[in-house]
Structure formats: structure tokens, C-alpha cells
Amino acid sequence: MSEPFKTAALMKELMAKYYDLGEESRRKGIPVVWVTAVFPVEIIYAMDLYPYYPENFGALASARKVADKLSMAAEAKGYFNDLCGYARCGIGDAYSLEHPVGKILSPDLLLCCNTQCGSLPKWFEAAGRFYNKPYFLWDSPMIEDETSDIKQNYLIKQLYELIDFLEITTKRRFDINKLQEVVALSSQATALWNDCLEMAALKPAPFGFFDACIHMAPIVVWRGRQEAVDYYRQLKAELEARLEKKIYAIPNERHKVYFDHIPVWPRLRWFADMFAANDTLVAASQYTHAWAMNFDPARPLETLAEHYPHQFVNRGVDYRLKLKMDFMRHYNCDGFILFSNRSCKPNSIGLYDKKRMLTEMTGLPGLVFEGDMSDLRFFSEGQIKTLFETYFEQLV
Amino acid sequence: MYVAGIDIGSIYSKAVILKNNQVAASLVKRTGGEIRTISHRIMDEALTPLGIQLEDLKSIVATGYGRISVPFAEKQVTEITCFGRGTAQLFPDVRTVIDIGGQDSKGIKIDERGRVTDFVMNDKCAAGTGRFLEVMANALEVNLEDMGPLALQSESPEEIGITCTVFAESQVISLVGEGRRKVDIVAGIHQAIAERIYGLLKMLKIEERIAITGGGAKNIGLVHELEKRLGTELIVPEEPQLIGAHGAALMAMEMAMHRKGG
């Protein structure tokens, strides 16, 4: 991981502001809307509602190493420890009397898109019953390869239904011009985010995946607001300045690898240090690129329907293999890491086959490791260390 | 010129001393207690008959799960890489190595120089490892060394589920309680372990010839079950537990030669 960024202070400020805004919204009676990470939040911002990301809460609890405690509170209620770690954190916190990372903000409405997985809708449904609040699902069909008009129309029609749902439940007017402005801001921020991620292609690079995992918080929660644009403009400027001063993400970059997925949050630093000690930069991941979208503000609803459901998790095997290979080529990677994440089944299916196919197609060595993005009860340090060290010995 | 490889495994620790590429001494000792102490003790025991001391070794490479805690090692290398190297030197035509150690089992693909080209390892679970066999031998009150030969005597092995060591152990205890034949239970255990390891190996593109190393290779019942599934004869080294330490010693020799040459 790079030495601390000046921008980090701004991020701290921005995140505090985001959480304060949640409390303030609750006090002022502005509806708190639960949303999934890959959801057209622009509609919520355009209606001056407050979007809250329970997945972000899960990631925070995971990074602070309390996912197991929260999970056990959910397990005591009958939720299996094999479910998504974020869901176990959110559900556990709702049932728990102790809140080690602050109490999860309860929703007035719940909006979910099933483009990421099948667990999120179930979690949101359960939360809808628990808090007794209305729930809306933006149902996305699987988009194997190319989309079709039928699928596109289905997605757009549902966005109209979503707007009706929001107008009725919140008694606020939706304004398409306002949405256009929000989408334009979103587009600026996602483009700037992409510019920052792109810097990892330089060799040596001033920015890598582990940095991106820290700096992604604003693109998730502030996307659609000026705050995100300002933040990534500043981060990009800082990265450019670092390049001039020859400050790089790791001290001695010899190799670049592609990392397929969410990091192991409670071991982010451990992984970052291990890669750095082996002179290897994790350059890219489809995960951090999920918010590097390119919207067309002139067609606000259409562009949202075109981008969000087309994320990698909702695509077929061939598309996903090609995407990984494109990243590897673009970032000039010497190998790739596939994370079999106990918490995230849709991303962990078929990894050994994918590894074999990717190696056959690219000639690059790959590694599959097993663990959990949230919960250290499913993390075996000795075995993972041996796996990775063998892999580094293979790269040399 | 003397060099050494030391392999600190979860159950056994091993050392190989090479003198000009020939094995001068080797030792297998149960790991227990503090690794630093064990490392010193095993080296002393291996070196004393040779009349030399630690300082006389030109290079030492440590491997195994305890590799980081060996205080006198010049370098740490993972056991996967070491097993690859060790096997290739002894059996140059081997392309796949099955290593069954105390806490993990591994499949390792190697090229003609013993370089690792691909590998798999069991996840966070003892099922399918040496530790599993130990637990089962204890539950059955059978000596670990007798497990393999016993398994070969069975004509109708019991079905043992092996998703988890703890569950399998209670299943074995129940079978004993029901008065099932010990040989059939033992055979069932071997089938289950072999199935598990075979499942792991299938993640690799298995190529012949195949060698089996680690403590598990000393179990004739397990070797037999794996051979049935793989449809080929496995190469079993004379001292299968020493291959990792041997590989480490070869790397130590390389480092010492490099230094000498440079």
C-alpha cells in the first residue's frame, strides 16, 4: 500500500459528512433509503433522499475485524454462517445489543437490484420484514453476452415503476432534469475514478488495487454528488504529483498481477504488505472497476439501465473470462489471483476451471485461494501464506 | 562442502545434509514444542555423527510450515517448491507430485527441472491429511503404521463421510460401537481420504509419471487407493518424508555454489 495520501484527510472528512447526513436526514424526516452498491443511486439523489449502503456497513465491520462477532448474533437467530458476510454483519447488528462499528442505520425504504447476487435480495427482504418498511426490487435478467431490446425495455420499465414507487411512498416529485444533472455528476466522478485506476498500468505505478480499496468509498456513497467529483479530481492531481516525485505504490515493482475480486477486508494491510514484500503490485480488479462507468447524461434512465445490470457479476462465463483477460492485457499483468470467497458464491463458482482456461489462453500463472472477505474464522493464515509464497516463487 | 535443508512440518521435522550433492545424513523427528529449539536439536543430531557443526554448513534452507521460525536458515522456501525440486532430482521423469503432509495435502505439477508449474492445496480443513489418519487411528486404537496394511485386508469397506474430521471421527466411533469389523472401517477411511485427495488432484491437469511424498506415502493402503483412482502406479520414494528437506538442501547447495562461483 502506498504511503498515506494527503487526500486521505479529505476522505475521512467526506465519510464523516456522509454518516452525519444520515443522522440529519433521520432527524429532518428525509427518508433513509437502503440501496445495494450497484444500483442507480442517481435516482435517489435526484429526489433529495438519503441513500444508505448496508454493504458498506458490512465492509466497515469486516475491516474493523468484528464481522465474526456480528455474524454470531445473526447465527444465533438461525442465519447460517455460509451466507454473505455483509448480510451477516447487517442482520447481526440489527439483532445485537452491542454495535462495535456504530448502529446500522435503519431504513425507511429498501431498494435492491439483483444484478450482484441472489443473497442481497434475500437480505433486503428479511430487513424489510424486520423493520416493517416497503421494499422494491429492480429485477435484472442475466445478461450472458449481448443485451436485447426486450431485456432493456424490461429494465427501463421497472425504473418508471421505481419512480412511481418513490413518489408514492415519499410524496416527493421526481424531476428528469434533476436526474440529468445527477447523472452528469456521476459520470464525471466515475470517469475520474477510472483515470485513477488507470495509473496502475504505469510501471512503476503510483496506485494499485489495495490503494483503490481504500479510496473507493466516495465513489460508492457520493457518486452523483459534487463531493465525489471534487474528491477524485484531488486524488488524481495527487497521483500525478506523486508520479513527478517518483513516489510509487510499492518500493520495488517487478511484477503486476490481476486480483479478481473483493479483498479480504480484515487482512487488507496483511495482503498489501505481503505483495509489496514480494515486489508485486496488484494492479487491477474487476471489483474496483465496477464503479468506473461511463454514463450518457442526455439519456438518463436509459444509460442507468444500460450500465448497472451489465456489471460483470451478472454476465456469462465467456464474457467474464474475456473481461479478466482484457484487464490482464491492459495492465500488463504477469499473473492473476482468483479469490474463492466463502461469502460470495456467484464470484466463486468454477474458479479452478476458470484458472485453467485463463492460463491456457494467456500463458500466465494463476492462483486460487480460499477465504472470506469478512470473517476471519474462515481464514487460515499458514495455508494462505504458503500458497502465496509458492506463487511468488513461481513468478520469479 | 556441506549444506543442509530443514523441513519443519506440523507433525514431523526433517533434515537432510548434503556433501557435494550426496546425502551425508538425514533425520526425521517429531515436531513438538518450540520450533527454534526443535530446529537446533534436529541439526545437532544430524551433524554430530558427521563430526561437523552448524557453522561448517555453507548454506541452510528452511521449508515447511515452521520455516519462518528456523533461526539459522539463510533462506526460507515453501514446501511446495522444495518437494518439486527434491522429487525432480530423484525421479527426473515425474511431472506430478502428490504430497500428503500432516496438516495439508497438495498436488504439484513440475517441469523437467523441478520447477513448479501449477499446484493445489487443501483448504482450511484437516480431512484428507496425515492428521486425519492419526485421529482415526486413535479413535480405532490402531497403530498408525498398521492402518495401511489393515486397509488392504478388507473385502467390504464401510462408507465413511469425510466432509469434516470431527464428524468422521464420531462416525467411526459409532461404527465401532455397532460392532463393525475394524478392517472394514479402516478400509473405508482410506477410501474416503483417497477420494478427497483425488478430488483435489482433479483441479490440476494430472500428467504422468506421478510420485507420492510426505508421511502419507508411507501408508500402503492410501497409495493403493490412490493408484486405483488414478489408474496408474505411483512412484514412492524410499524416504518419502525427506523429499522436502532434500529439495531445500539442493537449493542451499545452489546458493552456496553460486556464491563460490560469484
Side-chain angles (χ1 to χ4, degrees):
Chain A
M1 219 177 282
S2 302
E3 60 179 78
F5 282 79
K6 275 187 252 158
T7 324
L10 175 61
M11 176 159 71
K12 224 171 160 183
E13 199 181 294
L14 267 184
M15 293 312 287
K17 184 176 163 188
Y18 169 76
Y19 291 118
D20 289 346
L21 202 59
E23 299 298 333
E24 193 188 318
S25 301
R26 173 78 3 116
R27 277 197 307 276
K28 288 185 176 166
I30 296 167
V32 170
V33 184
W34 271 26
V35 279
T36 43
V38 185
F39 188 91
V41 67
E42 291 78 3
I43 295 174
I44 302 161
Y45 273 132
M47 290 181 75
D48 294 321
L49 306 169
Y50 178 75
Y52 182 79
Y53 293 86
E55 285 162 90
N56 181 254
F57 176 88
L60 184 70
S62 308
R64 299 257 180 95
K65 303 182 174 64
V66 292
D68 54 342
K69 280 197 192 76
L70 291 174
S71 179
M72 280 188 257
E75 287 162 37
K77 289 285 171 187
Y79 290 94
F80 190 41
N81 66 23
D82 221 10
L83 295 171
C84 163
Y86 292 168
R88 284 184 277 127
C89 285
I91 293 167
D93 193 73
Y95 280 117
S96 189
L97 295 174
E98 285 175 50
H99 306 285
V101 288
K103 198 173 179 184
I104 194 166
L105 194 59
S106 66
D108 295 304
L109 294 174
L110 303 97
L111 310 181
C112 177
C113 178
N114 56 1
T115 187
Q116 284 165 265
C117 63
S119 305
L120 279 170
K122 290 295 158 199
W123 170 17
F124 275 45
E125 277 172 30
R129 286 195 297 273
F130 180 86
Y131 296 108
N132 196 22
K133 297 293 177 192
Y135 163 76
F136 184 96
L137 174 72
W138 190 32
D139 174 46
S140 170
M142 172 97 175
I143 299 165
E144 284 273 343
D145 195 16
E146 293 298 314
T147 190
S148 63
D149 287 348
I150 293 178
K151 285 180 183 173
Q152 211 48 31
N153 290 338
Y154 176 61
L155 287 163
I156 293 170
K157 202 156 176 235
Q158 286 183 83
L159 287 184
Y160 284 107
E161 284 174 19
L162 169 67
I163 290 163
D164 285 346
F165 171 82
L166 288 172
E167 285 193 326
I168 292 164
T169 47
T170 68
K171 302 190 173 48
R172 283 161 189 256
R173 289 285 310 234
F174 169 78
D175 175 358
I176 191 88
N177 296 321
K178 182 78 193 291
L179 180 66
Q180 267 184 336
E181 287 167 25
V182 174
V183 171
L185 285 172
S186 206
S187 204
Q188 281 181 55
T190 52
L192 285 163
W193 173 236
N194 195 41
D195 291 346
C196 295
L197 294 175
E198 277 290 303
M199 300 236 187
L202 301 167
K203 194 166 185 173
F207 194 69
F209 169 66
F210 295 111
D211 299 311
C213 287
I214 303 285
H215 290 276
M216 65 185 276
I219 198 66
V220 177
V221 304
W222 282 113
R223 179 173 89 254
R225 293 269 304 241
Q226 187 61 42
E227 281 86 347
V229 178
D230 294 344
Y231 183 76
Y232 290 106
R233 194 168 283 148
Q234 197 164 321
L235 179 63
K236 187 180 169 185
E238 188 174 358
L239 286 171
E240 282 162 349
R242 279 182 171 223
L243 260 185
E244 271 187 27
K245 288 188 215 149
K246 299 191 183 333
I247 302 174
Y248 303 115
I250 60 172
N252 184 24
E253 184 188 319
R254 283 172 66 204
H255 305 289
K256 281 188 200 291
V257 294
Y258 166 77
F259 188 99
D260 196 49
H261 195 41
I262 299 174
V264 179
W265 288 115
R267 285 302 185 100
L268 190 70
R269 167 67 64 175
W270 185 84
F271 272 97
D273 288 347
M274 179 174 65
F275 277 97
N278 287 282
D279 302 334
T280 302
L281 180 81
V282 180
S285 164
Q286 59 187 7
Y287 172 61
T288 40
H289 267 85
W291 292 272
M293 289 170 278
N294 182 19
F295 297 113
D296 174 7
R299 303 156 47 246
L301 285 174
E302 291 80 357
T303 197
L304 295 176
E306 277 158 15
H307 282 90
Y308 284 106
H310 288 71
Q311 286 295 337
F312 62 89
V313 259
N314 198 35
R315 309 300 287 266
V317 173
D318 291 343
Y319 176 91
R320 286 162 77 160
L321 286 174
K322 187 178 171 299
L323 185 71
K324 294 180 214 305
M325 284 195 292
D326 288 347
F327 276 127
M328 284 186 238
R329 200 171 303 123
H330 185 77
Y331 285 87
N332 242 320
C333 292
D334 305 302
F336 60 94
I337 312 289
L338 306 178
F339 173 19
S340 181
N341 180 357
R342 194 180 168 96
S343 265
C344 191
K345 306 295 185 284
N347 252 311
S348 305
I349 285 172
L351 288 189
Y352 287 96
D353 288 325
K354 283 181 187 159
K355 178 190 150 199
R356 196 166 47 230
M357 288 187 235
L358 287 170
T359 295
E360 273 167 17
M361 290 186 282
T362 63
L364 300 177
L367 176 74
V368 179
F369 79 100
E370 305 196 15
D372 190 90
M373 65 190 184
S374 296
D375 196 331
L376 286 179
R377 289 176 297 171
F378 308 114
F379 184 85
S380 175
E381 181 176 317
Q383 264 145 331
I384 290 177
K385 205 168 163 50
T386 296
L387 273 182
F388 273 93
E389 286 184 356
T390 311
Y391 184 71
F392 293 128
E393 287 165 2
Q394 223 183 324
L395 276 187
V396 171
Chain B
M1 177 168 65
Y2 286 101
V3 297
I6 178 165
D7 174 2
I8 307 289
S10 66
I11 302 181
Y12 286 98
S13 294
K14 291 78 68 175
V16 168
I17 317 292
L18 293 183
K19 185 185 180 188
N20 307 330
N21 270 331
Q22 296 298 316
V23 177
S26 65
L27 199 72
V28 179
K29 215 177 159 57
R30 218 173 156 88
T31 307
E34 208 219 343
I35 292 171
R36 298 169 68 91
T37 318
I38 283 279
S39 320
H40 276 292
R41 200 174 296 153
I42 193 167
M43 288 310 277
D44 284 349
E45 263 185 62
L47 296 175
T48 306
L50 299 175
I52 57 167
Q53 291 175 335
L54 209 52
E55 295 74 44
D56 299 320
L57 296 169
K58 295 293 175 218
S59 176
I60 305 170
V61 168
T63 187
Y65 101 99
R67 62 188 177 277
I68 304 145
S69 310
V70 177
F72 44 76
E74 188 182 340
K75 194 181 177 186
Q76 288 84 25
V77 179
T78 61
E79 54 270 36
I80 298 173
T81 299
C82 288
F83 270 94
R85 287 297 301 276
T87 309
Q89 210 227 11
L90 295 172
F91 310 102
D93 53 350
V94 164
R95 289 293 165 271
T96 308
V97 184
I98 307 167
D99 175 48
I100 301 168
Q103 70 175 6
D104 41 49
S105 25
K106 313 171 188 86
I108 311 163
K109 293 281 302 286
I110 51 173
D111 65 13
E112 65 290 345
R113 288 171 59 189
R115 284 177 307 202
V116 176
T117 55
D118 200 4
F119 62 97
V120 281
M121 198 167 122
N122 65 306
D123 54 12
K124 188 187 176 182
C125 173
T129 68
R131 180 71 71 187
F132 180 84
L133 262 175
E134 270 204 350
V135 170
M136 296 302 136
N138 273 336
L140 286 161
E141 296 171 339
V142 170
N143 282 332
L144 185 62
E145 307 78 66
D146 298 335
M147 289 283 277
L150 266 181
L152 295 180
Q153 291 172 24
S154 167
E155 278 168 13
S156 56
E158 294 287 347
E159 287 265 339
I160 313 270
I162 191 184
T163 47
C164 164
T165 308
V166 179
F167 291 159
E169 186 184 8
S170 50
Q171 194 188 348
V172 163
I173 291 167
S174 306
L175 290 169
V176 173
E178 286 167 26
R180 305 294 179 92
R181 276 162 45 99
K182 223 174 233 186
V183 288
D184 296 337
I185 303 174
V186 172
I189 290 166
H190 283 77
Q191 286 194 345
I193 301 178
E195 206 50 54
R196 177 101 178 186
I197 296 167
Y198 182 57
L200 188 73
L201 293 172
K202 279 197 290 193
M203 293 175 193
L204 292 173
K205 212 166 157 187
I206 305 168
E207 272 176 277
E208 293 190 28
R209 297 183 75 193
I210 310 170
I212 181 164
T213 62
K218 292 170 82 173
N219 180 315
I220 188 172
L222 186 54
V223 172
H224 178 74
E225 285 299 331
L226 280 168
E227 283 177 336
K228 265 204 306 205
R229 282 162 183 78
L230 290 162
T232 181
E233 203 179 316
L234 297 179
I235 294 175
V236 186
E238 219 170 291
E239 294 279 4
Q241 276 171 297
L242 286 175
I243 306 298
H246 192 114
L250 287 171
M251 296 179 101
M253 181 62 83
E254 236 168 61
M255 281 164 57
M257 296 295 279
H258 185 75
R259 227 178 354 240
K260 211 172 154 192

